[in-house]
Amino acid sequence: MRFDHCALQECGVARFLSLLDGPWATLIVRELLKRPHRFNELLTALPGISAHTLSSRLRKFEAYELVTRTAYAEIPPRVVYELTPVGMQLQPVLDAMNAWAMTVPPHLFGLDEPE
């Protein structure tokens, strides 16, 4: 595959990045691939993310139809986020990213080599 012309209209990589930009986007998807989550469960699963950033990303994913937000009429209110079928199609992409990253020498990430 060649990436000579990478306009959004014609380049899958550019399209991917327009939907999953920012440092937290892929990690949020990773968590939602495991199972649906409530907002606070995602906050706990992603140490270091702010509530504002998580909320912003989830709204964006909902607008792009990658995530559904289901609000249950309970007291206290319960809201659950879940990947749509389109969002679930990201599983092989994240699997490939994971497989590639595990082949990169650990020292390049500032990690110690396994003994």
CSV table of all heavy atoms in Angstrom, one decimal, residues 1-53:
chain,number,residue,atom,x,y,z
A,1,MET,N,0.8,-1.2,0.0
A,1,MET,CA,0.0,0.0,0.0
A,1,MET,C,0.9,1.2,0.0
A,1,MET,O,1.8,1.3,0.7
A,1,MET,CB,-0.9,0.0,1.2
A,1,MET,CG,-1.6,1.2,1.5
A,1,MET,SD,-2.6,1.2,3.0
A,1,MET,CE,-4.2,1.1,2.2
A,2,ARG,N,0.5,2.2,-0.8
A,2,ARG,CA,1.3,3.4,-0.9
A,2,ARG,C,0.4,4.6,-0.3
A,2,ARG,O,-0.8,4.6,-0.5
A,2,ARG,CB,1.6,3.7,-2.3
A,2,ARG,CG,2.6,2.7,-2.9
A,2,ARG,CD,3.2,3.1,-4.1
A,2,ARG,NE,3.8,4.4,-3.9
A,2,ARG,CZ,4.5,5.0,-4.9
A,2,ARG,NH1,4.7,4.4,-6.0
A,2,ARG,NH2,5.0,6.2,-4.6
A,3,PHE,N,1.1,5.5,0.3
A,3,PHE,CA,0.4,6.7,0.9
A,3,PHE,C,0.8,8.0,0.2
A,3,PHE,O,1.0,9.0,0.8
A,3,PHE,CB,0.7,6.7,2.4
A,3,PHE,CG,0.2,5.5,3.1
A,3,PHE,CD1,1.2,4.6,3.6
A,3,PHE,CD2,-1.1,5.3,3.3
A,3,PHE,CE1,0.8,3.5,4.3
A,3,PHE,CE2,-1.5,4.1,4.0
A,3,PHE,CZ,-0.6,3.3,4.5
A,4,ASP,N,0.8,7.9,-1.1
A,4,ASP,CA,1.3,9.1,-1.9
A,4,ASP,C,0.3,10.3,-1.6
A,4,ASP,O,0.7,11.4,-1.5
A,4,ASP,CB,1.4,8.9,-3.4
A,4,ASP,CG,2.5,7.9,-3.7
A,4,ASP,OD1,3.4,7.7,-2.9
A,4,ASP,OD2,2.4,7.2,-4.7
A,5,HIS,N,-1.0,10.0,-1.7
A,5,HIS,CA,-2.0,11.1,-1.6
A,5,HIS,C,-2.8,10.8,-0.3
A,5,HIS,O,-3.4,9.7,-0.3
A,5,HIS,CB,-2.8,11.1,-2.8
A,5,HIS,CG,-3.7,12.3,-2.8
A,5,HIS,ND1,-4.8,12.4,-2.0
A,5,HIS,CD2,-3.7,13.5,-3.5
A,5,HIS,CE1,-5.5,13.6,-2.2
A,5,HIS,NE2,-4.8,14.2,-3.1
A,6,CYS,N,-2.8,11.6,0.7
A,6,CYS,CA,-3.4,11.2,1.9
A,6,CYS,C,-4.5,12.3,2.3
A,6,CYS,O,-4.5,12.7,3.4
A,6,CYS,CB,-2.4,11.1,3.0
A,6,CYS,SG,-2.8,9.7,4.1
A,7,ALA,N,-5.3,12.6,1.4
A,7,ALA,CA,-6.4,13.5,1.7
A,7,ALA,C,-7.5,12.7,2.4
A,7,ALA,O,-7.6,11.5,2.2
A,7,ALA,CB,-7.1,14.1,0.4
A,8,LEU,N,-8.2,13.3,3.3
A,8,LEU,CA,-9.3,12.6,4.1
A,8,LEU,C,-10.2,11.7,3.2
A,8,LEU,O,-10.5,10.6,3.5
A,8,LEU,CB,-10.1,13.6,4.9
A,8,LEU,CG,-11.1,13.0,5.9
A,8,LEU,CD1,-10.4,12.2,6.9
A,8,LEU,CD2,-11.8,14.2,6.6
A,9,GLN,N,-10.5,12.3,2.0
A,9,GLN,CA,-11.4,11.6,1.1
A,9,GLN,C,-10.9,10.3,0.6
A,9,GLN,O,-11.6,9.3,0.4
A,9,GLN,CB,-11.7,12.5,-0.1
A,9,GLN,CG,-12.7,12.1,-1.0
A,9,GLN,CD,-14.1,12.6,-0.6
A,9,GLN,OE1,-14.2,13.3,0.4
A,9,GLN,NE2,-15.1,12.2,-1.4
A,10,GLU,N,-9.6,10.2,0.5
A,10,GLU,CA,-9.0,9.0,-0.2
A,10,GLU,C,-8.0,8.2,0.7
A,10,GLU,O,-7.5,7.2,0.2
A,10,GLU,CB,-8.2,9.5,-1.4
A,10,GLU,CG,-9.0,10.3,-2.4
A,10,GLU,CD,-8.2,11.0,-3.4
A,10,GLU,OE1,-7.0,10.9,-3.4
A,10,GLU,OE2,-8.8,11.7,-4.2
A,11,CYS,N,-7.8,8.6,1.9
A,11,CYS,CA,-6.8,7.9,2.7
A,11,CYS,C,-7.4,7.4,4.0
A,11,CYS,O,-7.9,8.2,4.8
A,11,CYS,CB,-5.6,8.8,3.0
A,11,CYS,SG,-4.4,8.1,4.1
A,12,GLY,N,-7.4,6.1,4.2
A,12,GLY,CA,-7.9,5.5,5.4
A,12,GLY,C,-7.2,5.9,6.6
A,12,GLY,O,-7.8,6.0,7.7
A,13,VAL,N,-5.9,6.1,6.5
A,13,VAL,CA,-5.1,6.5,7.7
A,13,VAL,C,-5.6,7.9,8.2
A,13,VAL,O,-5.8,8.1,9.4
A,13,VAL,CB,-3.6,6.5,7.5
A,13,VAL,CG1,-2.9,7.0,8.6
A,13,VAL,CG2,-3.2,5.1,7.1
A,14,ALA,N,-5.8,8.8,7.3
A,14,ALA,CA,-6.3,10.1,7.6
A,14,ALA,C,-7.7,10.0,8.2
A,14,ALA,O,-8.0,10.7,9.2
A,14,ALA,CB,-6.3,11.0,6.4
A,15,ARG,N,-8.5,9.2,7.6
A,15,ARG,CA,-9.9,9.0,8.2
A,15,ARG,C,-9.9,8.5,9.6
A,15,ARG,O,-10.6,8.9,10.5
A,15,ARG,CB,-10.7,8.1,7.3
A,15,ARG,CG,-11.1,8.8,6.0
A,15,ARG,CD,-11.8,7.8,5.1
A,15,ARG,NE,-12.9,8.4,4.5
A,15,ARG,CZ,-13.8,7.8,3.8
A,15,ARG,NH1,-13.7,6.5,3.5
A,15,ARG,NH2,-14.8,8.5,3.3
A,16,PHE,N,-9.0,7.4,9.8
A,16,PHE,CA,-8.9,6.8,11.1
A,16,PHE,C,-8.5,7.9,12.1
A,16,PHE,O,-9.1,8.0,13.2
A,16,PHE,CB,-7.8,5.7,11.0
A,16,PHE,CG,-7.5,5.1,12.4
A,16,PHE,CD1,-8.3,4.1,12.9
A,16,PHE,CD2,-6.5,5.6,13.1
A,16,PHE,CE1,-8.0,3.5,14.1
A,16,PHE,CE2,-6.2,5.0,14.4
A,16,PHE,CZ,-7.0,4.0,14.9
A,17,LEU,N,-7.5,8.7,11.8
A,17,LEU,CA,-7.0,9.7,12.7
A,17,LEU,C,-8.0,10.8,13.0
A,17,LEU,O,-8.0,11.4,14.0
A,17,LEU,CB,-5.6,10.2,12.3
A,17,LEU,CG,-4.5,9.2,12.3
A,17,LEU,CD1,-3.2,9.8,11.7
A,17,LEU,CD2,-4.2,8.8,13.8
A,18,SER,N,-8.8,11.1,12.0
A,18,SER,CA,-9.8,12.1,12.2
A,18,SER,C,-10.9,11.7,13.3
A,18,SER,O,-11.4,12.5,14.0
A,18,SER,CB,-10.5,12.5,10.9
A,18,SER,OG,-11.4,11.5,10.5
A,19,LEU,N,-11.1,10.4,13.4
A,19,LEU,CA,-12.0,9.8,14.3
A,19,LEU,C,-11.4,9.5,15.7
A,19,LEU,O,-12.0,9.7,16.7
A,19,LEU,CB,-12.7,8.6,13.8
A,19,LEU,CG,-13.6,8.7,12.6
A,19,LEU,CD1,-14.1,7.3,12.1
A,19,LEU,CD2,-14.7,9.7,12.8
A,20,LEU,N,-10.2,9.0,15.6
A,20,LEU,CA,-9.5,8.6,16.8
A,20,LEU,C,-8.2,9.4,17.1
A,20,LEU,O,-7.1,8.9,17.3
A,20,LEU,CB,-9.1,7.1,16.7
A,20,LEU,CG,-10.3,6.2,16.8
A,20,LEU,CD1,-10.0,4.8,16.2
A,20,LEU,CD2,-10.9,6.1,18.2
A,21,ASP,N,-8.4,10.7,17.1
A,21,ASP,CA,-7.2,11.6,17.4
A,21,ASP,C,-7.1,11.7,18.9
A,21,ASP,O,-8.0,11.5,19.7
A,21,ASP,CB,-7.4,12.9,16.7
A,21,ASP,CG,-8.5,13.7,17.3
A,21,ASP,OD1,-9.5,13.1,17.8
A,21,ASP,OD2,-8.4,15.0,17.4
A,22,GLY,N,-5.9,12.2,19.3
A,22,GLY,CA,-5.6,12.4,20.7
A,22,GLY,C,-5.1,11.2,21.4
A,22,GLY,O,-5.3,10.1,21.0
A,23,PRO,N,-4.4,11.5,22.5
A,23,PRO,CA,-3.7,10.4,23.2
A,23,PRO,C,-4.6,9.4,23.9
A,23,PRO,O,-4.2,8.3,24.2
A,23,PRO,CB,-2.8,11.1,24.2
A,23,PRO,CG,-3.5,12.4,24.4
A,23,PRO,CD,-4.2,12.8,23.1
A,24,TRP,N,-5.9,9.7,24.2
A,24,TRP,CA,-6.7,8.8,25.0
A,24,TRP,C,-7.7,8.0,24.1
A,24,TRP,O,-8.3,7.0,24.6
A,24,TRP,CB,-7.5,9.6,26.0
A,24,TRP,CG,-6.6,10.2,27.1
A,24,TRP,CD1,-6.2,11.4,27.2
A,24,TRP,CD2,-6.0,9.4,28.1
A,24,TRP,NE1,-5.3,11.6,28.3
A,24,TRP,CE2,-5.2,10.3,28.9
A,24,TRP,CE3,-6.1,8.1,28.5
A,24,TRP,CZ2,-4.5,9.9,30.0
A,24,TRP,CZ3,-5.3,7.7,29.7
A,24,TRP,CH2,-4.6,8.6,30.4
A,25,ALA,N,-7.9,8.4,22.9
A,25,ALA,CA,-9.0,7.9,22.1
A,25,ALA,C,-8.9,6.3,21.9
A,25,ALA,O,-9.8,5.6,22.2
A,25,ALA,CB,-9.0,8.5,20.7
A,26,THR,N,-7.7,5.9,21.6
A,26,THR,CA,-7.5,4.4,21.3
A,26,THR,C,-7.6,3.7,22.7
A,26,THR,O,-8.1,2.5,22.7
A,26,THR,CB,-6.1,4.2,20.7
A,26,THR,OG1,-6.1,5.0,19.5
A,26,THR,CG2,-6.0,2.7,20.2
A,27,LEU,N,-7.2,4.3,23.7
A,27,LEU,CA,-7.2,3.6,25.0
A,27,LEU,C,-8.7,3.5,25.5
A,27,LEU,O,-9.1,2.5,26.1
A,27,LEU,CB,-6.4,4.3,26.1
A,27,LEU,CG,-4.9,4.2,25.8
A,27,LEU,CD1,-4.1,5.1,26.8
A,27,LEU,CD2,-4.4,2.8,25.7
A,28,ILE,N,-9.5,4.5,25.2
A,28,ILE,CA,-10.9,4.4,25.6
A,28,ILE,C,-11.6,3.3,24.8
A,28,ILE,O,-12.3,2.4,25.3
A,28,ILE,CB,-11.6,5.7,25.3
A,28,ILE,CG1,-11.1,6.8,26.2
A,28,ILE,CG2,-13.2,5.6,25.4
A,28,ILE,CD1,-11.5,8.2,25.8
A,29,VAL,N,-11.3,3.2,23.5
A,29,VAL,CA,-11.8,2.1,22.7
A,29,VAL,C,-11.3,0.8,23.2
A,29,VAL,O,-12.1,-0.2,23.3
A,29,VAL,CB,-11.4,2.3,21.2
A,29,VAL,CG1,-11.8,1.0,20.4
A,29,VAL,CG2,-12.1,3.5,20.6
A,30,ARG,N,-10.1,0.7,23.6
A,30,ARG,CA,-9.5,-0.6,24.1
A,30,ARG,C,-10.4,-1.1,25.3
A,30,ARG,O,-10.8,-2.2,25.4
A,30,ARG,CB,-8.1,-0.4,24.6
A,30,ARG,CG,-7.5,-1.7,25.2
A,30,ARG,CD,-6.2,-1.4,26.0
A,30,ARG,NE,-6.5,-0.6,27.2
A,30,ARG,CZ,-5.6,0.0,27.9
A,30,ARG,NH1,-4.4,-0.1,27.7
A,30,ARG,NH2,-6.0,0.7,29.0
A,31,GLU,N,-10.7,-0.1,26.2
A,31,GLU,CA,-11.5,-0.5,27.4
A,31,GLU,C,-12.9,-0.9,27.0
A,31,GLU,O,-13.5,-1.9,27.5
A,31,GLU,CB,-11.6,0.6,28.4
A,31,GLU,CG,-10.2,0.9,29.0
A,31,GLU,CD,-9.6,-0.3,29.7
A,31,GLU,OE1,-10.4,-1.1,30.4
A,31,GLU,OE2,-8.4,-0.6,29.5
A,32,LEU,N,-13.5,-0.2,26.0
A,32,LEU,CA,-14.9,-0.5,25.6
A,32,LEU,C,-15.0,-1.8,24.8
A,32,LEU,O,-16.0,-2.4,24.7
A,32,LEU,CB,-15.5,0.7,24.8
A,32,LEU,CG,-15.8,1.9,25.7
A,32,LEU,CD1,-16.2,3.0,24.8
A,32,LEU,CD2,-16.8,1.6,26.7
A,33,LEU,N,-13.8,-2.2,24.2
A,33,LEU,CA,-13.8,-3.5,23.5
A,33,LEU,C,-14.0,-4.7,24.5
A,33,LEU,O,-14.5,-5.7,24.1
A,33,LEU,CB,-12.5,-3.7,22.7
A,33,LEU,CG,-12.5,-3.0,21.4
A,33,LEU,CD1,-11.0,-2.9,20.8
A,33,LEU,CD2,-13.4,-3.6,20.3
A,34,LYS,N,-13.6,-4.5,25.7
A,34,LYS,CA,-13.7,-5.5,26.7
A,34,LYS,C,-15.2,-5.7,27.1
A,34,LYS,O,-15.6,-6.9,27.3
A,34,LYS,CB,-12.9,-5.1,28.0
A,34,LYS,CG,-11.4,-5.0,27.8
A,34,LYS,CD,-10.7,-4.5,29.0
A,34,LYS,CE,-9.2,-4.2,28.8
A,34,LYS,NZ,-8.6,-3.7,29.9
A,35,ARG,N,-15.9,-4.6,27.3
A,35,ARG,CA,-17.3,-4.7,27.7
A,35,ARG,C,-17.8,-3.3,27.8
A,35,ARG,O,-17.1,-2.3,27.8
A,35,ARG,CB,-17.5,-5.4,29.0
A,35,ARG,CG,-16.8,-4.7,30.2
A,35,ARG,CD,-17.0,-5.4,31.5
A,35,ARG,NE,-16.3,-4.8,32.6
A,35,ARG,CZ,-16.6,-3.7,33.2
A,35,ARG,NH1,-17.7,-3.0,32.8
A,35,ARG,NH2,-15.8,-3.2,34.2
A,36,PRO,N,-19.2,-3.1,27.9
A,36,PRO,CA,-19.7,-1.8,28.1
A,36,PRO,C,-19.3,-1.3,29.5
A,36,PRO,O,-19.0,-2.1,30.4
A,36,PRO,CB,-21.2,-2.0,28.1
A,36,PRO,CG,-21.4,-3.3,27.3
A,36,PRO,CD,-20.2,-4.1,27.6
A,37,HIS,N,-19.1,0.0,29.6
A,37,HIS,CA,-18.6,0.6,30.8
A,37,HIS,C,-19.5,1.8,31.2
A,37,HIS,O,-20.0,2.5,30.3
A,37,HIS,CB,-17.2,1.2,30.7
A,37,HIS,CG,-16.2,0.1,30.8
A,37,HIS,ND1,-15.9,-0.8,29.8
A,37,HIS,CD2,-15.2,-0.1,31.7
A,37,HIS,CE1,-14.9,-1.5,30.1
A,37,HIS,NE2,-14.5,-1.1,31.3
A,38,ARG,N,-19.6,2.1,32.5
A,38,ARG,CA,-20.1,3.3,33.0
A,38,ARG,C,-19.0,4.4,33.0
A,38,ARG,O,-17.8,4.0,32.9
A,38,ARG,CB,-20.7,3.2,34.4
A,38,ARG,CG,-21.9,2.2,34.4
A,38,ARG,CD,-22.4,1.9,35.7
A,38,ARG,NE,-23.0,3.1,36.3
A,38,ARG,CZ,-23.8,3.1,37.4
A,38,ARG,NH1,-23.9,1.9,38.1
A,38,ARG,NH2,-24.3,4.2,37.9
A,39,PHE,N,-19.3,5.6,33.1
A,39,PHE,CA,-18.3,6.7,33.0
A,39,PHE,C,-17.2,6.5,34.0
A,39,PHE,O,-16.0,6.6,33.7
A,39,PHE,CB,-19.0,8.1,33.1
A,39,PHE,CG,-18.1,9.2,32.9
A,39,PHE,CD1,-17.9,9.7,31.6
A,39,PHE,CD2,-17.5,9.9,34.0
A,39,PHE,CE1,-17.1,10.8,31.4
A,39,PHE,CE2,-16.7,10.9,33.8
A,39,PHE,CZ,-16.4,11.4,32.5
A,40,ASN,N,-17.6,6.3,35.3
A,40,ASN,CA,-16.6,6.2,36.4
A,40,ASN,C,-15.8,5.0,36.2
A,40,ASN,O,-14.6,5.0,36.7
A,40,ASN,CB,-17.3,6.3,37.7
A,40,ASN,CG,-17.7,7.7,38.1
A,40,ASN,OD1,-17.1,8.7,37.6
A,40,ASN,ND2,-18.7,7.8,38.9
A,41,GLU,N,-16.3,3.9,35.6
A,41,GLU,CA,-15.5,2.7,35.4
A,41,GLU,C,-14.4,3.0,34.4
A,41,GLU,O,-13.3,2.6,34.5
A,41,GLU,CB,-16.4,1.6,34.8
A,41,GLU,CG,-17.3,1.0,35.8
A,41,GLU,CD,-18.3,0.0,35.2
A,41,GLU,OE1,-18.6,0.1,34.0
A,41,GLU,OE2,-18.7,-0.9,36.0
A,42,LEU,N,-14.7,3.8,33.4
A,42,LEU,CA,-13.7,4.2,32.4
A,42,LEU,C,-12.7,5.1,33.0
A,42,LEU,O,-11.5,5.0,32.8
A,42,LEU,CB,-14.4,4.9,31.2
A,42,LEU,CG,-15.1,4.0,30.2
A,42,LEU,CD1,-15.9,4.9,29.2
A,42,LEU,CD2,-14.1,3.1,29.5
A,43,LEU,N,-13.1,6.0,33.9
A,43,LEU,CA,-12.1,6.9,34.6
A,43,LEU,C,-11.2,6.1,35.4
A,43,LEU,O,-10.0,6.3,35.4
A,43,LEU,CB,-12.9,7.9,35.5
A,43,LEU,CG,-13.4,9.2,34.9
A,43,LEU,CD1,-14.1,10.0,36.0
A,43,LEU,CD2,-12.2,10.0,34.4
A,44,THR,N,-11.7,5.1,36.1
A,44,THR,CA,-10.8,4.2,36.9
A,44,THR,C,-9.9,3.4,36.0
A,44,THR,O,-8.7,3.2,36.4
A,44,THR,CB,-11.7,3.3,37.8
A,44,THR,OG1,-12.5,4.1,38.6
A,44,THR,CG2,-10.9,2.3,38.6
A,45,ALA,N,-10.4,2.9,34.9
A,45,ALA,CA,-9.6,2.0,34.0
A,45,ALA,C,-8.5,2.8,33.3
A,45,ALA,O,-7.5,2.2,32.8
A,45,ALA,CB,-10.5,1.3,33.0
A,46,LEU,N,-8.6,4.1,33.2
A,46,LEU,CA,-7.7,5.0,32.5
A,46,LEU,C,-7.0,6.0,33.4
A,46,LEU,O,-7.3,7.2,33.4
A,46,LEU,CB,-8.4,5.7,31.3
A,46,LEU,CG,-9.0,4.7,30.3
A,46,LEU,CD1,-10.0,5.5,29.4
A,46,LEU,CD2,-7.9,4.0,29.5
A,47,PRO,N,-6.1,5.6,34.3
A,47,PRO,CA,-5.5,6.5,35.2
A,47,PRO,C,-4.8,7.6,34.5
A,47,PRO,O,-4.1,7.4,33.5
A,47,PRO,CB,-4.4,5.7,36.0
A,47,PRO,CG,-4.8,4.2,35.7
A,47,PRO,CD,-5.6,4.2,34.4
A,48,GLY,N,-5.1,8.9,34.9
A,48,GLY,CA,-4.5,10.0,34.3
A,48,GLY,C,-5.4,10.8,33.4
A,48,GLY,O,-5.1,11.9,33.1
A,49,ILE,N,-6.5,10.2,32.9
A,49,ILE,CA,-7.4,10.9,32.1
A,49,ILE,C,-8.3,11.8,32.9
A,49,ILE,O,-8.7,11.4,34.0
A,49,ILE,CB,-8.2,9.9,31.2
A,49,ILE,CG1,-9.0,10.7,30.1
A,49,ILE,CG2,-9.2,9.1,32.0
A,49,ILE,CD1,-9.6,9.8,29.0
A,50,SER,N,-8.6,13.0,32.4
A,50,SER,CA,-9.5,13.9,33.2
A,50,SER,C,-10.9,13.6,32.8
A,50,SER,O,-11.2,13.0,31.7
A,50,SER,CB,-9.1,15.3,32.9
A,50,SER,OG,-9.5,15.6,31.6
A,51,ALA,N,-11.8,13.9,33.7
A,51,ALA,CA,-13.2,13.7,33.4
A,51,ALA,C,-13.7,14.5,32.2
A,51,ALA,O,-14.4,14.0,31.4
A,51,ALA,CB,-14.1,14.1,34.6
A,52,HIS,N,-13.1,15.7,32.0
A,52,HIS,CA,-13.4,16.5,30.9
A,52,HIS,C,-13.0,15.9,29.6
A,52,HIS,O,-13.7,15.8,28.6
A,52,HIS,CB,-12.7,17.9,31.1
A,52,HIS,CG,-12.9,18.8,29.8
A,52,HIS,ND1,-14.0,19.4,29.5
A,52,HIS,CD2,-12.0,19.0,28.8
A,52,HIS,CE1,-13.9,20.1,28.4
A,52,HIS,NE2,-12.7,19.9,28.0
A,53,THR,N,-11.8,15.3,29.5
A,53,THR,CA,-11.3,14.7,28.3
A,53,THR,C,-12.1,13.5,28.0
A,53,THR,O,-12.5,13.3,26.8
A,53,THR,CB,-9.8,14.3,28.5
A,53,THR,OG1,-9.0,15.5,28.7
A,53,THR,CG2,-9.2,13.6,27.3
